[in-house]
């Protein structure tokens, strides 16, 4: 039996995941196809739409792929026109990116949009100073639970994680693709190759910072979820595994993930 | 988006570097596919992590419960696929995508394939012949030993192998003049030259006359990830789910 995870018991809205396994931003999984997931992160949305990157947009690398997929994103207006968030049985978190002013604008609109469980700020491709300004701007614009997604490659990750929490982030997501290059293109590395790199970063942040942590990178099978939960994460985000299995949540559905908070009580 | 396990019935080596892999497709209803659609095939053991992505394999042929894929072992995934033997199981998604539209009134059909682009066109040729079309298939092979074997094709199909791309395009103007429909599986860089050749031979390119099979690298295969987005007159579209077959008048930004 998979148990729900309440990440923010003290928060006005709370953030209750139906299970510890979420769909990460950029997978394109629609809430209607998300049954069995703890939550789905939609987007990343930007204030204005961006055209897709020129070809080639991806190339395989050992145990993963290098890509430029997460840049071509929909605008909030486009997403709102066709969204099915309000009727979703699975909690919907919206990922946003842009300048601090853009993120404040988007956060304000999302605050007034029914059916949204939280806002995730895509900060893994920003420098630390910018990231903090975006967190502050979004915090001022919205009372929704705020998730800050930080790169495990950030040199001073612990300091940035603490600063983001101080600036108003409610949850830390450690993960997202890493900058990488193969002969065909320079872009971002995703896939199972990331797992052993991200898990120790999740452990460091979970031990040092007093905020719920979500791990993201390379999750393909239940044992990978276990690795993140054992490192102190309360949930995981699944990204590239959706490229292989459109309903990859079925792989995780039969697995029992004891609630880590309850384990602590034992 | 249907995920299936299909068993390999047979792996036939057509050429030194060209395999025809037959799968048991008894569970696919005969009318449930169109030539030009593809299977998204996992080309590794499920527990392995490389090569990571599925491979989009055009349905080469489908009849009597057998589905054939044409495999050239020229990269890791396709090489793995070419090593499958009878009784092995493949993890596939599909049939996926939008296939070719064959008009109800038969006429002359011209098929243009570069290299392995012949794979999605043979099923269309079979269907066209069955519906009374006269079919000409122009293909390329840099060495005769690499050419798709004529014995695999219905004798009703006029088949011509050109040694180079330039020779392929030399053959097309005359064929374009008499064709009632063209289907081409050539790289996107060739779409504009194809369009220009059609306009030179026929004055104008009308919608419905020419369809192209978009050979764009795919990732998810189900229209989610955006890896295969191509620009069309209707905006950005996914080659995997809105295509891979597009009308030549519809694709822009080439």
């Amino acid at each position: 039996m998979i148990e729900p995870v309440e990440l923010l018991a003290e928060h006005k809205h709370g953030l209750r995941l139906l299970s510890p396994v979420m769909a990460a931003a950029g997978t394109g999984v629609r809430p209607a196809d998300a049954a069995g997931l703890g939550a789905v992160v939609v987007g990343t949305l930007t204030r204005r739409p961006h055209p897709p990157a020129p070809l080639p947009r991806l190339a395989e690398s050992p145990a993963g792929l290098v890509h430029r997929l997460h840049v071509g994103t929909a605008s909030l207006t486009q997403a709102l026109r066709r969204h099915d968030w309000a009727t979703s049985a699975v909690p919907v978190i919206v990922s946003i990116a842009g300048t601090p002013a853009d993120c404040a604008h988007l956060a304000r609109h999302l605050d007034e949009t029914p059916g949204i469980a939280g806002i995730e700020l895509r900060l893994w491709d920003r420098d630390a100073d910018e990231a903090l300004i975006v967190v502050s701007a979004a915090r001022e614009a919205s009372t929704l639970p705020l998730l800050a997604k930080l790169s495990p490659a950030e040199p001073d990750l612990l300091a940035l994680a603490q600063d983001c929490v101080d600036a108003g982030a409610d949850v830390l997501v450690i993960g997202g693709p890493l900058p990488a290059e193969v002969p065909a293109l320079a872009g971002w590395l995703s896939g199972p190759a990331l797992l052993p790199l991200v898990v120790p970063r999740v452990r460091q942040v979970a031990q040092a910072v007093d905020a719920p942590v979500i791990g993201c990178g390379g999750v393909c099978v239940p044992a990978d979820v276990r690795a993140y939960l054992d490192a102190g994460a309360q949930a995981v985000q699944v990204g590239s595994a959706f490229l292989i299995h459109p309903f990859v949540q079925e792989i995780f559905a039969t697995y029992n993930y004891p609630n880590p908070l309850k384990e602590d009580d034992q | 988006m249907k995920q299936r396990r299909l068993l390999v019935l047979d792996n036939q080596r057509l050429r030194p570097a060209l395999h025809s892999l037959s799968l048991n497709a008894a569970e696919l209803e005969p009318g449930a596919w169109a030539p030009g659609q593809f299977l998204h095939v996992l080309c590794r053991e499920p527990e392995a992590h490389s090569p990571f992505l599925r491979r989009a394999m055009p349905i080469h042929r489908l009849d009597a419960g057998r589905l054939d894929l044409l495999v050239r072992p020229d990269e890791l995934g396709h090489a793995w696929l070419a090593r499958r033997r009878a009784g092995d199981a493949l993890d596939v998604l599909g049939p996926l995508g939008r296939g070719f539209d064959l008009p109800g009134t038969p006429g002359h059909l011209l098929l243009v394939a570069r290299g392995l682009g012949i794979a999605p066109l043979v099923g269309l040729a079979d269907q066209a012949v069955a519906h009374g079309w006269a079919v000409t298939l122009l293909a390329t092979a840099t060495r005769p030993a690499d050419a798709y074997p004529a014995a695999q094709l219905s004798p009703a199909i006029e088949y011509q192998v050109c040694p180079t791309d330039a020779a392929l395009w030399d053959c097309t103007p005359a064929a374009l003049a008499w064709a009632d429909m063209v289907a081409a599986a050539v790289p996107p860089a060739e779409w504009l030259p194809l369009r220009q050749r059609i306009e030179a031979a026929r004055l104008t390119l009308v919608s419905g006359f020419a369809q192209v099979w978009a050979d764009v690298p795919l990732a998810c295969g189900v229209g989610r990830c955006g890896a295969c987005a191509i620009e069309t007159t209707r905006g950005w579209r996914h080659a995997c789910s809105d295509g891979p077959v597009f009308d030549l008048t519809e694709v822009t930004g080439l």
Side-chain angles (χ1 to χ4, degrees), chain A residues 26-30 33 51-52 55 57-58 60-65 69 191-192 220 240-247, chain B residues 1 3 40 42 44 49-55 75 91 93 216-222 224-230 236:
Chain A
T27 59
V29 175
R30 294 179 303 125
D33 293 331
L55 291 168
R57 298 191 187 107
L58 64 90
E60 275 180 330
S61 56
L65 70 156
L69 297 185
C220 292
S240 57
F242 277 103
L243 295 176
I244 313 303
H245 301 292
F247 294 98
Chain B
M1 246 196 250
Q3 189 170 357
H40 216 24
L42 193 68
R44 55 175 160 86
H49 287 321
S50 297
F52 185 62
L53 297 170
R54 289 175 183 271
R55 299 296 189 262
E75 58 89 34
D91 173 340
L93 295 174
V216 180
L218 306 182
C220 74
V222 294
R224 285 178 178 173
C225 74
C228 64
I230 65 171
W236 288 92

Short mmCIF file of all heavy atoms in Angstrom, two decimals, chain A residues 26-30 33 51-52 55 57-58 60-65 69 191-192 220 240-247, chain B residues 1 3 40 42 44 49-55 75 91 93 216-222 224-230 236:
data_model
loop_
_atom_site.label_atom_id
_atom_site.label_comp_id
_atom_site.label_asym_id
_atom_site.label_seq_id
_atom_site.Cartn_x
_atom_site.Cartn_y
_atom_site.Cartn_z
N GLY A 26 8.89 18.95 -17.63
CA GLY A 26 9.48 18.67 -18.93
C GLY A 26 9.13 17.30 -19.49
O GLY A 26 9.48 17.00 -20.62
N THR A 27 8.44 16.47 -18.72
CA THR A 27 8.09 15.15 -19.25
C THR A 27 6.92 15.25 -20.23
O THR A 27 6.73 14.35 -21.04
CB THR A 27 7.66 14.17 -18.14
OG1 THR A 27 6.54 14.72 -17.46
CG2 THR A 27 8.79 13.93 -17.15
N GLY A 28 6.12 16.31 -20.11
CA GLY A 28 4.95 16.43 -20.96
C GLY A 28 3.80 15.54 -20.51
O GLY A 28 2.80 15.41 -21.23
N VAL A 29 3.92 14.93 -19.35
CA VAL A 29 2.83 14.07 -18.85
C VAL A 29 1.65 14.96 -18.46
O VAL A 29 1.81 15.90 -17.68
CB VAL A 29 3.29 13.25 -17.62
CG1 VAL A 29 2.14 12.47 -17.03
CG2 VAL A 29 4.42 12.32 -18.02
N ARG A 30 0.49 14.67 -19.04
CA ARG A 30 -0.70 15.45 -18.71
C ARG A 30 -1.31 14.89 -17.43
O ARG A 30 -1.26 13.68 -17.19
CB ARG A 30 -1.72 15.40 -19.84
CG ARG A 30 -1.23 16.09 -21.12
CD ARG A 30 -2.26 16.00 -22.24
NE ARG A 30 -2.60 14.61 -22.51
CZ ARG A 30 -3.84 14.13 -22.49
NH1 ARG A 30 -4.85 14.91 -22.19
NH2 ARG A 30 -4.05 12.86 -22.77
N ASP A 33 -3.09 11.70 -17.60
CA ASP A 33 -2.31 10.46 -17.74
C ASP A 33 -1.47 10.17 -16.51
O ASP A 33 -0.57 9.33 -16.55
CB ASP A 33 -1.37 10.55 -18.96
CG ASP A 33 -2.13 10.59 -20.27
OD1 ASP A 33 -3.23 10.02 -20.33
OD2 ASP A 33 -1.62 11.20 -21.23
N PRO A 51 10.46 29.16 -29.27
CA PRO A 51 10.50 28.09 -30.27
C PRO A 51 11.45 26.99 -29.81
O PRO A 51 12.37 27.27 -29.03
CB PRO A 51 11.02 28.78 -31.53
CG PRO A 51 11.75 29.97 -31.03
CD PRO A 51 11.11 30.39 -29.75
N PRO A 52 11.24 25.75 -30.27
CA PRO A 52 12.17 24.68 -29.91
C PRO A 52 13.59 25.01 -30.38
O PRO A 52 13.78 25.78 -31.32
CB PRO A 52 11.62 23.47 -30.67
CG PRO A 52 10.20 23.79 -30.95
CD PRO A 52 10.14 25.28 -31.11
N LEU A 55 17.65 21.66 -34.53
CA LEU A 55 18.15 20.28 -34.57
C LEU A 55 19.67 20.31 -34.70
O LEU A 55 20.20 21.22 -35.32
CB LEU A 55 17.54 19.54 -35.77
CG LEU A 55 16.04 19.25 -35.70
CD1 LEU A 55 15.52 18.78 -37.06
CD2 LEU A 55 15.73 18.20 -34.65
N ARG A 57 18.54 18.08 -31.39
CA ARG A 57 18.12 18.44 -30.04
C ARG A 57 18.54 17.41 -29.02
O ARG A 57 18.40 17.63 -27.82
CB ARG A 57 16.60 18.59 -29.98
CG ARG A 57 16.09 19.67 -30.87
CD ARG A 57 14.63 19.99 -30.62
NE ARG A 57 14.19 20.92 -31.64
CZ ARG A 57 13.38 20.59 -32.64
NH1 ARG A 57 12.89 19.37 -32.72
NH2 ARG A 57 13.06 21.48 -33.55
N LEU A 58 18.98 16.25 -29.49
CA LEU A 58 19.41 15.24 -28.52
C LEU A 58 20.39 14.28 -29.15
O LEU A 58 20.44 14.10 -30.37
CB LEU A 58 18.20 14.47 -27.98
CG LEU A 58 17.38 13.65 -28.96
CD1 LEU A 58 17.92 12.22 -29.04
CD2 LEU A 58 15.94 13.61 -28.54
N GLU A 60 22.35 10.41 -27.72
CA GLU A 60 22.53 9.49 -26.59
C GLU A 60 23.93 9.57 -26.04
O GLU A 60 24.88 9.90 -26.76
CB GLU A 60 22.25 8.06 -27.04
CG GLU A 60 20.79 7.71 -26.99
CD GLU A 60 20.53 6.30 -27.45
OE1 GLU A 60 21.29 5.80 -28.29
OE2 GLU A 60 19.56 5.70 -26.95
N SER A 61 24.04 9.28 -24.77
CA SER A 61 25.34 9.13 -24.13
C SER A 61 25.20 7.91 -23.22
O SER A 61 24.08 7.43 -23.03
CB SER A 61 25.70 10.39 -23.35
OG SER A 61 24.69 10.68 -22.42
N PRO A 62 26.30 7.39 -22.67
CA PRO A 62 26.14 6.18 -21.86
C PRO A 62 25.11 6.37 -20.75
O PRO A 62 25.18 7.32 -19.99
CB PRO A 62 27.55 5.97 -21.29
CG PRO A 62 28.45 6.57 -22.33
CD PRO A 62 27.71 7.76 -22.84
N ALA A 63 24.14 5.46 -20.68
CA ALA A 63 23.08 5.49 -19.67
C ALA A 63 22.36 6.82 -19.62
O ALA A 63 22.05 7.35 -18.55
CB ALA A 63 23.65 5.14 -18.30
N GLY A 64 22.08 7.39 -20.76
CA GLY A 64 21.32 8.63 -20.76
C GLY A 64 21.34 9.32 -22.10
O GLY A 64 21.59 8.70 -23.14
N LEU A 65 21.07 10.63 -22.05
CA LEU A 65 21.07 11.41 -23.28
C LEU A 65 21.45 12.84 -22.96
O LEU A 65 21.21 13.34 -21.86
CB LEU A 65 19.71 11.37 -23.97
CG LEU A 65 18.54 12.10 -23.31
CD1 LEU A 65 17.48 12.45 -24.35
CD2 LEU A 65 17.91 11.27 -22.21
N LEU A 69 16.07 19.91 -24.68
CA LEU A 69 14.62 19.73 -24.77
C LEU A 69 13.86 20.70 -23.90
O LEU A 69 12.72 21.03 -24.18
CB LEU A 69 14.22 18.31 -24.35
CG LEU A 69 14.77 17.16 -25.19
CD1 LEU A 69 14.18 15.86 -24.71
CD2 LEU A 69 14.43 17.38 -26.65
N GLY A 191 19.07 11.14 -17.46
CA GLY A 191 19.06 9.68 -17.54
C GLY A 191 19.66 9.03 -16.32
O GLY A 191 20.13 9.70 -15.39
N PRO A 192 19.68 7.69 -16.34
CA PRO A 192 20.16 6.94 -15.18
C PRO A 192 21.60 7.25 -14.80
O PRO A 192 21.99 7.03 -13.65
CB PRO A 192 20.02 5.47 -15.61
CG PRO A 192 19.55 5.48 -17.02
CD PRO A 192 19.10 6.83 -17.38
N CYS A 220 14.63 5.20 -12.46
CA CYS A 220 14.03 4.31 -13.46
C CYS A 220 13.24 3.18 -12.82
O CYS A 220 12.25 2.71 -13.39
CB CYS A 220 15.10 3.70 -14.36
SG CYS A 220 15.93 4.88 -15.44
N SER A 240 13.45 11.34 -17.30
CA SER A 240 13.75 10.69 -18.57
C SER A 240 13.14 9.29 -18.69
O SER A 240 12.96 8.81 -19.81
CB SER A 240 15.26 10.62 -18.77
OG SER A 240 15.87 9.94 -17.69
N ALA A 241 12.82 8.64 -17.57
CA ALA A 241 12.21 7.31 -17.67
C ALA A 241 10.88 7.37 -18.43
O ALA A 241 10.47 6.38 -19.04
CB ALA A 241 12.00 6.70 -16.28
N PHE A 242 10.24 8.55 -18.43
CA PHE A 242 9.00 8.70 -19.19
C PHE A 242 9.25 8.66 -20.70
O PHE A 242 8.33 8.43 -21.48
CB PHE A 242 8.28 10.00 -18.82
CG PHE A 242 7.44 9.89 -17.58
CD1 PHE A 242 7.87 10.40 -16.38
CD2 PHE A 242 6.20 9.26 -17.62
CE1 PHE A 242 7.11 10.30 -15.23
CE2 PHE A 242 5.42 9.14 -16.48
CZ PHE A 242 5.87 9.66 -15.28
N LEU A 243 10.50 8.93 -21.11
CA LEU A 243 10.81 8.85 -22.55
C LEU A 243 10.73 7.40 -23.01
O LEU A 243 10.53 7.12 -24.20
CB LEU A 243 12.21 9.39 -22.82
CG LEU A 243 12.46 10.86 -22.56
CD1 LEU A 243 13.93 11.20 -22.78
CD2 LEU A 243 11.59 11.73 -23.46
N ILE A 244 10.94 6.46 -22.07
CA ILE A 244 10.98 5.05 -22.43
C ILE A 244 9.61 4.40 -22.21
O ILE A 244 9.14 3.63 -23.04
CB ILE A 244 12.03 4.30 -21.57
CG1 ILE A 244 13.36 5.07 -21.55
CG2 ILE A 244 12.22 2.88 -22.05
CD1 ILE A 244 13.96 5.34 -22.90
N HIS A 245 8.98 4.76 -21.08
CA HIS A 245 7.67 4.18 -20.74
C HIS A 245 6.68 5.31 -20.50
O HIS A 245 6.79 6.00 -19.49
CB HIS A 245 7.77 3.30 -19.50
CG HIS A 245 8.73 2.17 -19.63
ND1 HIS A 245 8.49 1.10 -20.47
CD2 HIS A 245 9.93 1.93 -19.05
CE1 HIS A 245 9.51 0.26 -20.40
NE2 HIS A 245 10.39 0.74 -19.56
N PRO A 246 5.70 5.50 -21.38
CA PRO A 246 4.76 6.61 -21.20
C PRO A 246 3.98 6.52 -19.88
O PRO A 246 3.54 7.54 -19.36
CB PRO A 246 3.80 6.47 -22.38
CG PRO A 246 4.53 5.63 -23.38
CD PRO A 246 5.47 4.76 -22.62
N PHE A 247 3.84 5.31 -19.35
CA PHE A 247 3.16 5.14 -18.07
C PHE A 247 4.10 4.47 -17.08
O PHE A 247 3.78 3.46 -16.47
CB PHE A 247 1.87 4.33 -18.24
CG PHE A 247 0.84 5.06 -19.07
CD1 PHE A 247 0.69 4.79 -20.42
CD2 PHE A 247 0.05 6.05 -18.50
CE1 PHE A 247 -0.23 5.48 -21.19
CE2 PHE A 247 -0.87 6.75 -19.26
CZ PHE A 247 -1.02 6.46 -20.60
N MET B 1 -0.45 4.70 -27.82
CA MET B 1 0.54 4.63 -26.75
C MET B 1 0.67 3.22 -26.19
O MET B 1 1.31 2.99 -25.19
CB MET B 1 0.09 5.54 -25.61
CG MET B 1 0.99 6.71 -25.39
SD MET B 1 0.69 7.46 -23.81
CE MET B 1 -0.05 9.00 -24.31
N GLN B 3 1.68 -0.20 -25.05
CA GLN B 3 2.95 -0.91 -24.88
C GLN B 3 2.70 -2.41 -24.99
O GLN B 3 1.77 -2.93 -24.40
CB GLN B 3 3.54 -0.57 -23.50
CG GLN B 3 4.95 -1.08 -23.31
CD GLN B 3 5.61 -0.52 -22.06
OE1 GLN B 3 5.03 0.29 -21.36
NE2 GLN B 3 6.82 -0.96 -21.78
N HIS B 40 7.85 1.85 -31.73
CA HIS B 40 8.92 2.45 -30.94
C HIS B 40 9.52 1.32 -30.11
O HIS B 40 8.90 0.84 -29.17
CB HIS B 40 8.34 3.56 -30.08
CG HIS B 40 9.27 4.73 -29.91
ND1 HIS B 40 10.26 5.03 -30.81
CD2 HIS B 40 9.36 5.67 -28.95
CE1 HIS B 40 10.91 6.12 -30.41
NE2 HIS B 40 10.39 6.51 -29.27
N LEU B 42 12.29 -0.82 -27.88
CA LEU B 42 13.38 -0.80 -26.91
C LEU B 42 14.47 -1.74 -27.42
O LEU B 42 14.24 -2.95 -27.56
CB LEU B 42 12.87 -1.26 -25.54
CG LEU B 42 13.81 -1.02 -24.35
CD1 LEU B 42 13.94 0.48 -24.08
CD2 LEU B 42 13.32 -1.74 -23.11
N ARG B 44 17.41 -2.88 -26.23
CA ARG B 44 18.35 -3.32 -25.19
C ARG B 44 17.57 -4.20 -24.22
O ARG B 44 16.34 -4.25 -24.29
CB ARG B 44 18.93 -2.13 -24.44
CG ARG B 44 17.85 -1.20 -23.83
CD ARG B 44 18.48 -0.11 -22.98
NE ARG B 44 17.63 1.04 -22.75
CZ ARG B 44 16.73 1.14 -21.76
NH1 ARG B 44 16.53 0.14 -20.92
NH2 ARG B 44 16.02 2.25 -21.61
N HIS B 49 20.90 0.10 -19.33
CA HIS B 49 20.60 1.53 -19.45
C HIS B 49 21.08 2.12 -20.78
O HIS B 49 20.89 3.29 -21.04
CB HIS B 49 21.22 2.30 -18.30
CG HIS B 49 20.52 2.09 -16.99
ND1 HIS B 49 19.14 2.00 -16.88
CD2 HIS B 49 20.99 1.95 -15.74
CE1 HIS B 49 18.81 1.83 -15.62
NE2 HIS B 49 19.90 1.77 -14.90
N SER B 50 21.78 1.30 -21.59
CA SER B 50 22.28 1.80 -22.87
C SER B 50 22.03 0.76 -23.97
O SER B 50 22.18 -0.44 -23.69
CB SER B 50 23.79 2.08 -22.80
OG SER B 50 24.06 3.09 -21.87
N PRO B 51 21.72 1.16 -25.18
CA PRO B 51 21.37 2.54 -25.56
C PRO B 51 20.03 2.91 -24.94
O PRO B 51 19.10 2.11 -24.96
CB PRO B 51 21.31 2.49 -27.09
CG PRO B 51 21.07 1.06 -27.43
CD PRO B 51 21.65 0.24 -26.33
N PHE B 52 19.97 4.11 -24.43
CA PHE B 52 18.88 4.48 -23.53
C PHE B 52 17.52 4.58 -24.22
O PHE B 52 16.52 4.07 -23.73
CB PHE B 52 19.22 5.80 -22.85
CG PHE B 52 18.22 6.21 -21.80
CD1 PHE B 52 18.01 5.41 -20.69
CD2 PHE B 52 17.49 7.37 -21.94
CE1 PHE B 52 17.08 5.77 -19.72
CE2 PHE B 52 16.57 7.74 -20.97
CZ PHE B 52 16.36 6.95 -19.86
N LEU B 53 17.49 5.25 -25.38
CA LEU B 53 16.20 5.59 -26.00
C LEU B 53 15.68 4.46 -26.88
O LEU B 53 16.45 3.67 -27.43
CB LEU B 53 16.35 6.86 -26.85
CG LEU B 53 16.73 8.12 -26.07
CD1 LEU B 53 17.08 9.24 -27.05
CD2 LEU B 53 15.60 8.56 -25.16
N ARG B 54 14.37 4.43 -27.04
CA ARG B 54 13.76 3.52 -28.02
C ARG B 54 14.15 3.95 -29.43
O ARG B 54 14.52 5.10 -29.66
CB ARG B 54 12.23 3.56 -27.90
CG ARG B 54 11.70 2.91 -26.63
CD ARG B 54 10.20 3.09 -26.52
NE ARG B 54 9.73 2.52 -25.27
CZ ARG B 54 9.35 1.25 -25.10
NH1 ARG B 54 9.33 0.43 -26.14
NH2 ARG B 54 8.97 0.81 -23.92
N ARG B 55 14.02 3.02 -30.38
CA ARG B 55 14.27 3.33 -31.78
C ARG B 55 12.94 3.30 -32.53
O ARG B 55 12.17 2.35 -32.37
CB ARG B 55 15.23 2.31 -32.41
CG ARG B 55 16.60 2.25 -31.75
CD ARG B 55 17.35 3.57 -31.94
NE ARG B 55 18.74 3.50 -31.52
CZ ARG B 55 19.21 3.91 -30.34
NH1 ARG B 55 18.38 4.39 -29.43
NH2 ARG B 55 20.51 3.84 -30.06
N GLU B 75 24.29 1.04 -35.93
CA GLU B 75 24.51 1.73 -34.66
C GLU B 75 24.07 0.77 -33.56
O GLU B 75 23.47 -0.27 -33.85
CB GLU B 75 23.75 3.07 -34.63
CG GLU B 75 22.25 2.98 -34.84
CD GLU B 75 21.50 2.79 -33.54
OE1 GLU B 75 21.93 3.32 -32.52
OE2 GLU B 75 20.50 2.05 -33.56
N ASP B 91 10.11 -5.26 -26.53
CA ASP B 91 9.24 -4.31 -25.83
C ASP B 91 8.98 -3.16 -26.81
O ASP B 91 9.91 -2.43 -27.16
CB ASP B 91 9.97 -3.84 -24.57
CG ASP B 91 9.25 -2.71 -23.83
OD1 ASP B 91 8.41 -2.03 -24.45
OD2 ASP B 91 9.55 -2.50 -22.65
N LEU B 93 6.24 0.07 -28.34
CA LEU B 93 5.07 0.93 -28.25
C LEU B 93 4.51 1.06 -29.67
O LEU B 93 5.28 1.23 -30.61
CB LEU B 93 5.44 2.33 -27.76
CG LEU B 93 5.97 2.51 -26.36
CD1 LEU B 93 6.41 3.97 -26.15
CD2 LEU B 93 4.91 2.16 -25.34
N VAL B 216 13.04 12.30 -38.47
CA VAL B 216 13.60 13.22 -37.47
C VAL B 216 13.85 12.40 -36.21
O VAL B 216 13.02 11.56 -35.86
CB VAL B 216 12.58 14.35 -37.17
CG1 VAL B 216 13.13 15.31 -36.15
CG2 VAL B 216 12.21 15.08 -38.45
N PRO B 217 15.00 12.60 -35.53
CA PRO B 217 15.24 11.80 -34.33
C PRO B 217 14.11 11.97 -33.30
O PRO B 217 13.69 13.09 -33.01
CB PRO B 217 16.55 12.38 -33.78
CG PRO B 217 17.20 13.03 -34.94
CD PRO B 217 16.11 13.51 -35.83
N LEU B 218 13.63 10.86 -32.78
CA LEU B 218 12.52 10.88 -31.82
C LEU B 218 13.04 10.51 -30.44
O LEU B 218 14.01 9.77 -30.32
CB LEU B 218 11.46 9.85 -32.19
CG LEU B 218 10.86 9.89 -33.59
CD1 LEU B 218 9.80 8.81 -33.70
CD2 LEU B 218 10.26 11.24 -33.87
N ALA B 219 12.38 10.98 -29.41
CA ALA B 219 12.71 10.49 -28.07
C ALA B 219 11.50 9.74 -27.51
O ALA B 219 11.45 8.52 -27.55
CB ALA B 219 13.14 11.63 -27.17
N CYS B 220 10.48 10.45 -27.03
CA CYS B 220 9.38 9.74 -26.36
C CYS B 220 8.49 8.99 -27.35
O CYS B 220 7.94 7.94 -27.03
CB CYS B 220 8.55 10.69 -25.51
SG CYS B 220 7.46 11.80 -26.41
N GLY B 221 8.31 9.52 -28.55
CA GLY B 221 7.48 8.86 -29.55
C GLY B 221 5.99 9.10 -29.41
O GLY B 221 5.21 8.65 -30.24
N VAL B 222 5.58 9.78 -28.33
CA VAL B 222 4.14 9.93 -28.09
C VAL B 222 3.72 11.40 -27.96
O VAL B 222 2.68 11.71 -27.39
CB VAL B 222 3.69 9.14 -26.84
CG1 VAL B 222 3.86 7.64 -27.08
CG2 VAL B 222 4.47 9.55 -25.59
N ARG B 224 5.13 14.07 -26.41
CA ARG B 224 5.25 14.77 -25.13
C ARG B 224 6.51 15.61 -25.01
O ARG B 224 6.49 16.70 -24.45
CB ARG B 224 5.27 13.76 -23.98
CG ARG B 224 3.94 13.13 -23.65
CD ARG B 224 4.18 12.13 -22.53
NE ARG B 224 2.95 11.48 -22.08
CZ ARG B 224 2.97 10.49 -21.20
NH1 ARG B 224 4.11 10.06 -20.71
NH2 ARG B 224 1.83 9.94 -20.82
N CYS B 225 7.64 15.06 -25.48
CA CYS B 225 8.93 15.64 -25.06
C CYS B 225 9.38 16.78 -25.97
O CYS B 225 10.19 17.60 -25.55
CB CYS B 225 10.00 14.57 -24.99
SG CYS B 225 10.60 14.00 -26.60
N GLY B 226 8.88 16.86 -27.19
CA GLY B 226 9.24 17.97 -28.06
C GLY B 226 10.52 17.78 -28.85
O GLY B 226 10.92 18.65 -29.61
N ALA B 227 11.20 16.65 -28.69
CA ALA B 227 12.48 16.44 -29.37
C ALA B 227 12.33 16.50 -30.88
O ALA B 227 13.24 16.92 -31.59
CB ALA B 227 13.08 15.09 -28.96
N CYS B 228 11.19 16.06 -31.41
CA CYS B 228 11.03 15.92 -32.86
C CYS B 228 10.17 17.04 -33.45
O CYS B 228 9.65 16.88 -34.56
CB CYS B 228 10.40 14.56 -33.17
SG CYS B 228 8.74 14.39 -32.50
N ALA B 229 10.04 18.16 -32.74
CA ALA B 229 9.18 19.24 -33.22
C ALA B 229 9.67 19.76 -34.57
O ALA B 229 10.86 20.01 -34.76
CB ALA B 229 9.14 20.37 -32.21
N ILE B 230 8.76 19.87 -35.54
CA ILE B 230 9.11 20.49 -36.82
C ILE B 230 8.08 21.57 -37.12
O ILE B 230 6.93 21.51 -36.67
CB ILE B 230 9.20 19.47 -37.99
CG1 ILE B 230 7.84 18.83 -38.27
CG2 ILE B 230 10.24 18.41 -37.72
CD1 ILE B 230 7.87 18.02 -39.55
N TRP B 236 4.18 24.58 -34.78
CA TRP B 236 5.10 23.49 -34.46
C TRP B 236 4.32 22.22 -34.24
O TRP B 236 3.31 22.20 -33.54
CB TRP B 236 5.91 23.83 -33.21
CG TRP B 236 6.93 24.89 -33.49
CD1 TRP B 236 6.76 26.24 -33.33
CD2 TRP B 236 8.25 24.70 -34.02
NE1 TRP B 236 7.91 26.89 -33.72
CE2 TRP B 236 8.83 25.99 -34.15
CE3 TRP B 236 8.99 23.58 -34.39
CZ2 TRP B 236 10.12 26.17 -34.63
CZ3 TRP B 236 10.28 23.76 -34.87
CH2 TRP B 236 10.83 25.04 -34.98
#
